[in-house]
Amino acid sequence: EVMIHPLYGRYRNDERAYKHSGVLYPVYYSAGTNYWNYRTFLYLFTFENKYHEDEKRDDEYLLAPLFYWGSGDTEKEQYFSIFPFYGTIKDKLAWSEISFVMFPLYSSWSYKDYKARSLLWPLIMWGGTPEDENGFKKRSDLRIFPFYSSKVHSGKYNHKTVLWPFFQWGSDDLDKKDPRHFYFFFPFYAQKRSESGTMQSYSILWPFTLFAWGFDERRNTTEYRALWFLFQNMKSGDPHIRKLVIFPFYAHYRFGDKEEKYYNEMNFYLILLGNLRTKSAIVESSYDFF
């Protein structure tokens, strides 16, 4: 390793076949092994090449964010784009392929068997997976913002909106034992409940929370809130939580286990006088302040 800050730096590890170097970093930086090399100038112009035993050579050139060019021995590594006019990018931003023409006028993206297209992104979008022999689609998406949107993944979730954000409803965790369903009429009313009814929550005038309440029987939890954060009352069995806030007069919060082997506790009075307490296997503390 040799470092002459900030002019030059070099590091090499022969055992790992790894090396990196820089000149007036971040003006120039390079790193690599026997199987890949990466070079960049100000992280704007970038060159990267890889060698795969199965797919052989894979090269990428990037002049961010305008120019992408990939080349290799397979069709998967070959792409070209000049943003925002026209192009295709592969294996970037968590998608297998992204294409565009005069972005945001038209764009498309795909991953595995899912493919979506958009006009004037993000206003109009449609996509999904291919139909099976029975005409069934596992995934289906449609958005005409702000008038209507639908996101459906069979067996996982189903979301709908009309005149976003005013009307929203749907379901989650459809592949689990107790799916959850929600309804939202912004900003007047919101609700969420489990299919078994063991979890329910409601809110009036969200997010200002004129009044909100809910319970979760599985966690032995109940909670009430009013006037945004001014009044809060919560009891939970798993984890063990006690909370009571009447702002600015009084606040109490306690987090711990049922057996009182450990806990963290906070108390405030008129925001002027307070106490913080902790109990664990190795320490007990009490801190008062005014």
Side-chain angles (χ1 to χ4, degrees):
E1 182 176 21
V2 176
M3 291 292 174
I4 306 174
H5 293 295
L7 304 176
Y8 175 76
R10 184 187 71 218
Y11 171 82
R12 187 179 75 240
N13 187 319
D14 293 333
E15 185 178 22
R16 296 171 52 205
Y18 172 77
K19 60 184 178 181
H20 68 76
S21 62
V23 177
L24 290 173
Y25 182 86
V27 174
Y28 172 79
Y29 174 77
S30 69
T33 67
N34 294 336
Y35 288 90
W36 63 268
N37 283 282
Y38 173 85
R39 301 178 182 87
T40 179
F41 295 89
L42 293 172
Y43 290 96
L44 297 176
F45 180 75
T46 298
F47 168 68
E48 184 174 6
N49 64 61
K50 303 175 184 177
Y51 181 82
H52 309 280
E53 292 185 358
D54 52 349
E55 299 174 348
K56 306 306 179 183
R57 192 173 180 85
D58 174 14
D59 298 328
E60 290 184 335
Y61 304 85
L62 164 65
L63 181 58
L66 304 177
F67 174 78
Y68 265 103
W69 178 27
S71 64
D73 295 323
T74 65
E75 191 272 337
K76 179 182 178 181
E77 278 87 36
Q78 298 173 11
Y79 57 87
F80 179 82
S81 71
I82 301 179
F83 188 83
F85 304 106
Y86 172 81
T88 297
I89 303 172
K90 297 183 180 180
D91 291 324
K92 301 293 181 185
L93 303 176
W95 294 101
S96 300
E97 183 175 306
I98 302 173
S99 300
F100 54 87
V101 178
M102 300 301 296
F103 183 85
L105 181 62
Y106 172 80
S107 59
S108 67
W109 53 95
S110 63
Y111 180 74
K112 294 183 178 179
D113 60 344
Y114 176 87
K115 185 167 185 177
R117 295 176 175 86
S118 176
L119 297 176
L120 296 175
W121 182 89
L123 300 182
I124 301 174
M125 185 276 283
W126 67 99
T129 55
E131 295 181 352
D132 61 16
E133 61 274 8
N134 299 317
F136 173 76
K137 277 189 173 185
K138 185 177 182 180
R139 292 186 62 182
S140 179
D141 297 337
L142 174 64
R143 178 171 65 236
I144 305 174
F145 187 82
F147 305 105
Y148 175 78
S149 75
S150 171
K151 289 180 66 67
V152 178
H153 191 154
S154 179
K156 290 186 178 293
Y157 59 78
N158 188 330
H159 296 174
K160 298 284 195 302
T161 68
V162 173
L163 295 176
W164 186 90
F166 297 106
F167 300 96
Q168 305 177 46
W169 69 96
S171 302
D172 289 300
D173 295 336
L174 296 175
D175 55 341
K176 298 182 179 180
K177 292 182 179 180
D178 198 8
R180 294 176 292 118
H181 310 284
F182 66 90
Y183 173 77
F184 187 22
F185 176 26
F186 179 82
F188 304 105
Y189 177 74
Q191 74 171 44
K192 182 187 293 184
R193 63 178 180 84
S194 65
E195 194 162 293
S196 65
T198 57
M199 185 279 292
Q200 299 181 31
S201 64
Y202 305 88
S203 180
I204 307 296
L205 285 182
W206 186 92
F208 309 103
T209 313
L210 178 65
F211 189 63
W213 68 100
F215 64 86
D216 187 342
E217 294 179 0
R218 186 175 58 180
R219 297 171 53 201
N220 192 23
T221 299
T222 59
E223 184 172 9
Y224 301 90
R225 288 181 286 119
L227 300 175
W228 198 7
F229 64 92
L230 298 185
F231 175 80
Q232 303 175 52
N233 186 10
M234 176 183 179
K235 292 183 179 181
S236 175
D238 183 21
H240 192 70
I241 297 175
R242 296 293 184 269
K243 177 172 65 173
L244 176 60
V245 177
I246 306 174
F247 189 85
F249 306 103
Y250 175 71
H252 168 76
Y253 178 83
R254 186 183 182 97
F255 178 92
D257 65 346
K258 296 180 180 180
E259 292 78 19
E260 301 291 326
K261 292 180 180 179
Y262 75 88
Y263 62 80
N264 289 316
E265 183 177 284
M266 173 191 71
N267 294 281
F268 282 91
Y269 306 91
L270 292 172
I271 320 180
L272 299 176
L273 177 65
N275 170 260
L276 301 176
R277 299 174 63 192
T278 297
K279 179 181 179 181
S280 68
I282 59 174
V283 65
E284 290 188 38
S285 67
S286 180
Y287 174 62
D288 299 301
F289 55 90
F290 179 73

